[in-house]
Amino acid sequence: MTAGVQLAYLIAAILFVLSLKWLSAPTTARRGVLAGEIGMAIAVLSTIFAIWPPANLGWILAALLMGTAIGAPMAIFMPMTAMPQRIALSHAFGALAAALVGTSEYYVAVTEGHHLSAFTMGALGFEVLLGFLTFTGSLMAFGKLQGVLPQRPITYRGQNAVNFTLMGVAIVALVWLIIDPTQTLLFPVLIVGGLLFGVLLIIPIGGADMPTVISLLNSYAGLAGAAMGFVLGNPLLIVAGALDGASGFILSVIMCRAMNRSFTNVLFGAFGQVTASSGGDEDDDRIVRSASADEAAMVLEAARKVIIAPGYGMAVAQAQHKVRELADMLTKNGTEVLFAIHPVAGRMPGHMNVLLAEADVPYDQLKEMDEVNPEFAQADVALVIGANDVTNPAARTDESSPIYGMPVLDVDKAGTVMVIKRSMSPGFAGIDNPLYYNENTMMLFGDAKQFVADIVGELSRSAAGV
C-alpha cells in the first residue's frame, strides 16, 4: 500500500469520526452526512487506485452500477416515513456483502491451498456468521416494520432453548474451523446457523422494541465489516466497521435505558403482547372525552405555551408538514411552541428528529425528553400526535405495568392534553394508556394529517375574522 493510499485512508477515517460527531446534534447533522459521503468516496476511489490497474475492472464497474441501481431509487423514491424500513434493508445489504466476501475468501484459500492462520480463520468465521445473521435478522425487521410480518412477538414453547442451541452449534463449527480450516463440511453449518439464528432472533421481538433492534443490527453490520477488514488486511474497513459497531452498540444502550429495559429483556422477553389494563371492572366505567377540530382550535388559540409530542402515528400519516404549519401559526399568534422528542418515539433512533427536520421545524424548538419534561407543568396544552407508549403515565404510577419504570414524556402534567389518534387501540407495546381517560384529556379521533389540517383551517378562519 503506497503512502498516498495510506494518507487517503487516514483522511477518510478522520471524516468518518467527524461525521459521527456531527450527526449527534440536529444543528450539525447535514454537515455530518456530507463528511461521511466525502469520506466514503475517498475510501472507494483510493482502494481502486491501490490496485490499479485492477484485473477485474469490468466486475468492479458492474458492481458499482448494480449498487447504484438499487441504492439511488431507495434514496430518491422512499418517503421519509419509510426510513426505518430503508435502514433495515441497508443493514441487510451491507451484512450480506461482508458475509459473501468472507465466504469467497474461505473457499479461495482452501481451493488454492493457502494457509489460514487461527486469527484469520477466526476473523473470517466471525465475519460470515455475524454477516449472515444480520442479513436475515434485518430482513425480518424490515418485514415487521413494513407490516409484511406480524408486529407482535411470534413465540413458541422452548424458543430461547432452540435459539441458544442453534447458535451453540454454529459457534462449535466456527471453533472447529479455527482449529482445522480444512474441514470444509463445517463451513455450510456456519452459514446455515447464522441465517437461521437471524430469523429466530428477531421474530419474537415486538414492534415496541424496533428502535433498539435497528440500532443493534447496525452494530452487528459494523462488526462484520470490521472483521472483513482484518481478513482483507484493509485498515480503513477495520476503522469504519469498528466505528459503526461501537456507535450502534452505544445507541442500543441508550435506547434500552430510555425504555428502562435490559438487552436480554429486549432480545428474549417477547415484549409487545397485548396487555389488558390492570384496572379491573372499573375500566368499563371510564369516560373518554372526544373533541372536534374547531374545539381543539379554540383551546390552542387561547394557549400561551404548547408542547407537541410526535410519535409514529405522525410518521404513518405523513403529517409532519401540517404539524410544522400548525406550529408556525401558533407562534405567529404569540404562543410558545416546543416539540418533545422521546428517544424511542417512532421506529428507529432519531425518527422524529429526521421527520421534523425534513419539514423545516427550527432546531431550537426540538427538545429532548430530559430537557422538556419540566416544561409540561407550565404548558397550557400538550398536543400528542400519534404517540402512545412514550406518553403512558402508567410507566410512573402502575407497578404492575410491563413498562413500569420506563422514562416517558410527562404530557399528563399539562393543563390540557389533546391526543390525535385513529382509535383507542393500544400502541406497539400492546398496553392500555390511562392518559386517554384523564379529565384533562381530549381525544381527537382521526387521521393525524387531516385532523391537523382541519385545526389549521379553523385557526386561519379565526385569524381572518370569519
Side-chain angles (χ1 to χ4, degrees):
M1 188 181 298
T2 65
V5 172
Q6 291 178 336
L7 178 61
Y9 277 0
L10 179 60
I11 294 172
I14 292 173
L15 286 171
F16 291 155
V17 173
L18 291 174
S19 176
L20 283 177
K21 175 179 173 57
W22 288 330
L23 283 169
S24 63
T27 53
T28 56
R30 294 180 186 272
R31 190 192 313 164
V33 171
L34 182 61
E37 291 174 340
I38 295 173
M40 185 55 66
I42 292 173
V44 172
L45 293 175
S46 58
T47 299
I48 294 176
F49 178 79
I51 59 173
W52 192 265
N56 298 305
L57 180 60
W59 286 107
I60 294 173
L61 293 176
L64 288 173
L65 290 174
M66 186 181 301
T68 303
I70 296 173
M74 286 174 58
I76 295 171
F77 298 112
M78 271 194 173
M80 294 298 293
T81 50
M83 279 297 290
Q85 294 93 308
R86 194 199 67 75
I87 297 295
L89 282 180
S90 296
H91 292 163
F93 290 147
L96 179 61
L100 291 178
V101 168
T103 301
S104 173
E105 287 292 316
Y106 173 76
Y107 281 109
V108 167
V110 170
T111 302
E112 297 182 358
H114 297 163
H115 172 68
L116 288 171
S117 66
F119 177 81
T120 301
M121 186 65 232
L124 192 152
F126 181 76
E127 169 193 350
V128 170
L129 178 61
L130 202 56
F132 280 121
L133 181 161
T134 306
F135 170 61
T136 52
S138 297
L139 290 182
M140 294 302 102
F142 170 81
K144 283 178 174 283
L145 291 167
Q146 189 65 23
V148 177
L149 297 175
Q151 294 181 355
R152 61 175 176 79
I154 302 173
T155 60
Y156 55 86
R157 186 183 298 274
Q159 186 170 44
N160 289 339
V162 171
N163 289 359
F164 285 125
T165 300
L166 181 62
M167 178 52 70
V169 171
I171 291 175
V172 168
L174 173 57
V175 172
W176 199 337
L177 282 167
I178 292 174
I179 297 171
D180 185 3
T182 62
Q183 298 296 320
T184 55
L185 291 179
L186 292 176
F187 202 80
V189 175
L190 190 67
I191 293 174
V192 173
L195 290 170
L196 289 178
F197 187 76
V199 174
L200 298 178
L201 179 68
I202 301 302
I203 60 172
I205 300 177
D209 286 326
M210 277 301 115
T212 305
V213 171
I214 290 295
S215 57
L216 199 57
L217 289 171
N218 176 66
S219 177
Y220 291 167
L223 292 175
M228 180 168 61
F230 282 108
V231 172
L232 299 178
N234 188 304
L236 186 58
L237 268 177
I238 298 172
V239 172
L243 287 171
D244 196 11
S247 61
F249 178 77
I250 293 171
L251 191 56
S252 299
V253 171
I254 293 173
M255 296 296 104
C256 284
R257 287 179 178 173
M259 297 185 295
N260 195 34
R261 308 272 302 289
S262 65
F263 270 123
T264 54
N265 186 257
V266 169
L267 296 177
F268 309 115
F271 185 67
Q273 303 283 16
V274 175
T275 303
S277 172
S278 60
D281 294 336
E282 296 178 358
D283 291 348
D284 297 334
D285 299 327
R286 294 180 299 179
I287 297 175
V288 176
R289 300 165 182 80
S290 62
S292 60
D294 58 336
E295 292 172 316
M298 290 175 60
V299 174
L300 288 170
E301 190 175 27
R304 295 297 89 195
K305 185 171 187 175
V306 174
I307 302 178
I308 300 174
Y312 187 61
M314 185 189 76
V316 172
Q318 301 186 42
Q320 62 269 25
H321 293 280
K322 284 298 178 182
V323 171
R324 190 261 306 155
E325 188 176 343
L326 172 62
D328 289 346
M329 291 194 68
L330 292 174
T331 301
K332 289 180 181 178
N333 189 43
T335 303
E336 180 186 2
V337 179
L338 301 175
F339 286 82
I341 309 299
H342 193 282
V344 295
R347 305 305 293 276
M348 71 175 187
H351 197 180
M352 295 302 103
N353 299 76
V354 171
L355 289 177
L356 294 172
E358 190 242 350
D360 294 324
V361 173
Y363 294 135
D364 59 358
Q365 289 186 348
L366 305 182
K367 304 296 180 181
E368 299 299 325
M369 177 178 61
D370 292 340
E371 184 182 3
V372 78
N373 265 349
E375 302 285 340
F376 280 108
Q378 288 78 45
D380 297 299
V381 178
L383 177 59
V384 181
I385 305 177
N388 290 284
D389 306 315
V390 298
T391 62
N392 194 331
R396 298 194 314 265
T397 61
D398 185 1
E399 295 186 11
S400 65
S401 173
I403 63 171
Y404 180 72
M406 169 182 167
V408 294
L409 296 171
D410 296 336
V411 296
D412 57 312
K413 296 181 180 180
T416 299
V417 181
M418 295 194 293
V419 181
I420 300 180
K421 200 173 185 297
R422 290 181 180 273
S423 68
M424 293 294 292
S425 60
F428 293 123
I431 300 169
D432 189 28
N433 193 340
L435 173 71
Y436 304 153
Y437 309 96
N438 286 355
E439 291 185 359
N440 67 331
T441 298
M442 301 166 58
M443 298 300 297
L444 312 178
F445 293 113
D447 175 79
K449 183 177 181 179
Q450 185 58 53
F451 211 110
V452 173
D454 292 342
I455 294 175
V456 169
E458 292 292 337
L459 290 173
S460 298
R461 283 188 286 271
S462 176
V466 178

